[in-house]
Amino acid sequence: MARSLVIKVTAGADAPERCNQAFTVAAAALASGVPVSLWLTGEASWFALPGRAKEFSLPHAARLTDLLDAVLAGGRVTLCTQCAARRDITVDDVIEGVRIAGAPTFVEEALGDGVQALVY
C-alpha cells in the first residue's frame, strides 16, 4: 500500500515561511503521486476563504494560491471545525472543495495505516 501524507498547517500570514513550507510540501507530494490531506488550522484557517491565498506574498516562494489550487485539485483540504467557529467561518463561506471537520477526523486520518503526519 502506498503511503499518504497528512499535513496540518497552523501558521498563516503571521509566520509566512512556515505557512508556505506546508503548502509547498503538500503540492510537491501530490506532484510525486503521494495522496495528501491538508488541514487548515489556526491562522491558516483564513486560506479556506475565497481570495485570501491570493493576498499572501512571500519572496522567492511559489504563489500560495497556486499551491492551494494544486492541493484542491489533487488532494483534500479540510478546515478545522473549532478554528472556523472562532473566526465565524461557515461552510457557506469556504472555497469549493474545502470541507470542515474536527479533531476526531484529523486523528482518524493521521493514525491510518501508511500515513505520515506533519505539522507546520
Side-chain angles (χ1 to χ4, degrees):
M1 174 168 54
R3 292 187 65 174
S4 62
L5 191 57
V6 174
I7 299 172
K8 179 185 268 195
V9 55
T10 64
D14 59 325
E17 287 185 293
R18 190 163 32 110
C19 175
N20 189 269
Q21 289 168 357
F23 281 84
T24 299
V25 168
L30 280 166
S32 299
V34 176
V36 171
S37 177
L38 179 67
W39 282 73
L40 305 176
T41 68
E43 287 302 298
S45 300
W46 296 114
F47 298 123
L49 298 175
R52 290 294 185 101
K54 192 172 188 172
E55 297 171 3
F56 181 92
S57 178
L58 181 64
H60 308 290
R63 293 176 356 136
L64 198 68
T65 189
D66 293 339
L67 298 171
L68 178 57
D69 287 347
V71 178
L72 283 166
R76 174 184 288 159
V77 178
T78 305
L79 171 59
C80 164
T81 302
Q82 290 181 10
C83 299
R86 280 190 284 276
R87 290 160 180 81
D88 293 320
I89 299 172
T90 70
V91 69
D92 295 328
D93 299 321
V94 299
I95 299 166
E96 184 176 342
V98 173
R99 70 177 179 160
I100 298 177
T105 304
F106 176 80
V107 170
E108 181 180 350
E109 283 188 18
L111 294 179
D113 289 337
V115 175
Q116 174 68 51
L118 302 173
V119 178
Y120 287 87

